[in-house]
Amino acid sequence: MEQSFFKELIHYNKPKESPARLIVAGLCMISVLFTGYLSHQLAISSFGSIGIFTFLYYQRLPLKQMMSRLTIVGTFLTAANFLGMLSTHVSWTAPIVVASVGFLGRFFFRLYGIAKPGPFFIVMVTAMGVSSNVPLAKIPVMSGYFFIGVLFSLVGAFIMHFIEKAPLPLGEENKTLKERINEDPAVVIDSLLYSGILFFAVYLSMGLQLKNPYWLVVSCAAILQGDNLRAMAHRNVQRIFGTIIGLAIAAFLLNLPLSIFENLLIITALFVTVEYFVKRNYAIAQFFSTPMSLMLSMLVKQQYLYTLIQFRFLGIVIGSLLGLLAAWMMSTSLDFYNRKFHAN
């Protein structure tokens, strides 16, 4: 059993994926990064790069349906980040905001079959907003910068639709919200448990006074992305191990005398590398996502490198362990719920 678990940890998947998708994702990222660089507004690079995550929800669908879905997702991401930034001015609201956004994301993404990354990026951008400390007057401006990344994603998805040659699936059946809930009644309790865990994760990160509390919350949400308890246990080990290697790479890169131009090129290369490995081996993806996140953090606000590394490591370890514990609790609770539901 232990040997099988270890083999599953190091298993390297080979998904069928168009190479063009990685190229277009990289072009979206480098476009928004250099928009900020050329306009001498690195805040556009920092916030707009987060909006690029909209492209990661791209699916091979009829053009109108695909563009509508991505527009809704991009708007949701922008609104979630806006609310997160707003909550910093009334700090006690931060856990409520993250939990509420997490509930809505989990609820609607599950009901409407929006595949992975699912609500993960919704939670991530909200938690990043909670950690941002943007002055109140500048919040709408930063949200505008964020939406620039969404617009680049929509353009990239539009181009990708015509590049990809795979046959289009049939249009999804038009069902009402009530019909979808009747087909999947466990979605309500699942979303409530998910949001409750996120509430506690934010509360814990604020109580521990971590410099960037979103790392703990994001790690917790990342573990809960697993399809089942075993997959979540894999993610827990892979995320902690991958982060250790990633922090070593980050320490090396951030100590190099790189220009802003060179930093932007490396961030783009890291982004494409993460997207290549994330479906193949989650641990390897963490080698590159950690330095990418830290380099993006350093673009706008210069922080002491070793403080960033220390608090990121603590946040990820605690968040991963909390996510695994929460996953077990959710799995057990839903099992009891389903047995009761089917019994009646």
Side-chain angles (χ1 to χ4, degrees), residues 41-247:
Q41 283 285 351
L42 286 178
I44 295 176
S45 301
S46 184
F47 280 81
S49 64
I50 307 168
I52 291 298
F53 293 136
T54 306
F55 180 79
L56 305 183
Y57 288 91
Y58 171 83
Q59 286 180 276
R60 181 68 173 157
L61 296 169
L63 182 61
K64 184 179 178 181
Q65 183 184 336
M66 182 267 292
M67 293 300 289
S68 297
R69 174 175 288 198
L70 288 183
T71 301
I72 292 168
V73 169
T75 305
F76 195 170
L77 284 166
T78 307
N81 186 250
F82 176 84
L83 290 171
M85 289 189 287
L86 208 58
S87 73
T88 60
H89 296 278
V90 188
S91 58
W92 63 267
T93 63
I96 298 171
V97 168
V98 174
S100 300
V101 170
F103 174 84
L104 292 172
R106 184 86 162 192
F107 184 80
F108 285 104
F109 279 50
R110 174 166 164 168
L111 283 183
Y112 287 87
I114 299 178
K116 286 182 182 178
F120 172 69
F121 285 128
I122 302 293
V123 173
M124 188 187 81
V125 300
T126 312
M128 291 178 81
V130 167
S131 306
S132 62
N133 296 317
V134 176
L136 193 61
K138 289 188 175 181
I139 289 177
V141 177
M142 296 306 166
S143 288
Y145 293 164
F146 187 103
F147 200 70
I148 289 172
V150 175
L151 293 176
F152 275 114
S153 296
L154 294 176
V155 172
F158 183 82
I159 294 169
M160 187 66 200
H161 178 81
F162 293 102
I163 292 175
E164 208 170 14
K165 300 300 181 184
L168 286 169
L170 296 174
E172 63 178 19
E173 189 179 346
N174 191 16
K175 298 177 184 176
T176 65
L177 179 62
K178 185 178 179 180
E179 288 173 334
R180 292 176 186 273
I181 294 173
N182 286 336
E183 289 179 1
D184 186 12
V187 68
V188 178
I189 191 169
D190 175 67
S191 301
L192 283 171
L193 288 169
Y194 183 75
S195 62
I197 292 156
L198 294 178
F199 180 95
F200 179 73
V202 179
Y203 186 81
L204 180 63
S205 65
M206 293 173 71
L208 293 173
Q209 296 183 335
L210 300 178
K211 295 295 182 185
N212 291 82
Y214 82 88
W215 287 327
L216 191 154
V217 180
V218 169
S219 290
C220 182
I223 300 303
L224 293 174
Q225 248 196 313
D227 294 324
N228 51 56
L229 199 55
R230 191 175 182 86
M232 292 177 194
H234 291 157
R235 277 186 171 241
N236 180 58
V237 176
Q238 290 172 325
R239 189 167 181 84
I240 294 173
F241 172 71
T243 297
I244 293 170
I245 304 297
L247 288 173

Side-chain angles (χ1 to χ4, degrees), residues 193 229 325-339:
L193 288 169
L229 199 55
L325 174 62
W328 177 81
M329 291 172 62
M330 284 178 67
S331 177
T332 305
S333 301
L334 288 169
D335 183 50
F336 281 126
Y337 174 83
N338 286 327
R339 271 193 273 169

Side-chain angles (χ1 to χ4, degrees), residues 252-297:
F252 171 74
L253 289 175
L254 290 172
N255 275 304
L256 294 176
L258 299 172
S259 66
I260 293 174
F261 180 84
E262 290 167 333
N263 268 303
L264 298 182
L265 290 178
I266 290 173
I267 288 169
T268 303
L270 290 171
F271 175 73
V272 174
T273 307
V274 170
E275 288 313 303
Y276 178 80
F277 282 113
V278 74
K279 292 181 181 178
R280 290 164 172 80
N281 186 282
Y282 189 72
I284 298 175
Q286 297 310 302
F287 294 178
F288 306 101
S289 70
T290 299
M292 181 187 75
S293 300
L294 289 170
M295 291 179 81
L296 280 169
S297 297

